[in-house]
Amino acid sequence: MGQVVATAERVVRAPADVVRAALADYVTTRPAALPEQYSEYRVDAGGRGAGTRVHWRLQATAKRVREQDVVVTAGPDGALVESDANSSMVTTWTVSPADAGVSTVRARTTWNGAGGIGGFFERTFAPKGLARIHEAFLERLEQAVTTG
């Protein structure tokens, strides 16, 4: 059993404060930008940044579905930290200014993986799959902050 890490990063053509606000908007922007792997999305408390509680189903593969009840807290430097109450999964979203009007957005997800041969496959394939899901979200997030 070991920690599994999945990361994704994208340069977004919008200022960091605009991107941070969009990421923290769990009521409007988040559900609109989520890719098709997410379903049953709902806000259970809050809706903007730290203190928000949201629920969703994440279908990572045809056979792998996670029911997630996520609690949002504030991390260092304005990061958003999403901790799943049903598992060890934690996703940290950071936004850094890159150039004038441009930001770098990074998602880093960690969880405690399985042991044995199943754990080997999880550590080998799950990070790539989750990174693709995060990349799809980041692409849609960029569309949201640049068109609207």
Side-chain angles (χ1 to χ4, degrees), residues 10-118:
R10 183 178 182 91
V11 174
V12 174
R13 297 175 320 261
D17 60 333
V18 171
V19 177
R20 279 191 199 101
L23 262 176
D25 176 8
Y26 289 87
V27 174
T28 306
T29 306
R30 280 295 189 107
L34 290 174
E36 61 276 358
Q37 290 87 355
Y38 290 86
S39 63
E40 298 182 21
Y41 182 92
R42 71 174 185 267
V43 176
D44 292 333
R48 301 236 182 255
T52 297
R53 288 190 356 244
V54 289
H55 169 87
W56 59 65
R57 285 173 53 96
L58 174 60
Q59 183 151 4
T61 67
K63 295 181 181 178
R64 183 71 168 145
V65 179
R66 287 181 179 257
E67 291 278 340
Q68 295 190 295
D69 292 301
V70 174
V71 176
V72 181
T73 57
D77 298 323
L80 283 177
V81 180
E82 299 175 344
S83 302
D84 180 18
N86 301 327
S87 72
S88 61
M89 185 174 276
V90 175
T91 300
T92 303
W93 298 92
T94 56
V95 180
S96 305
D99 284 317
V102 178
S103 307
T104 301
V105 185
R106 184 169 195 259
R108 182 176 192 273
T109 301
T110 62
W111 69 94
N112 298 327
I117 192 73

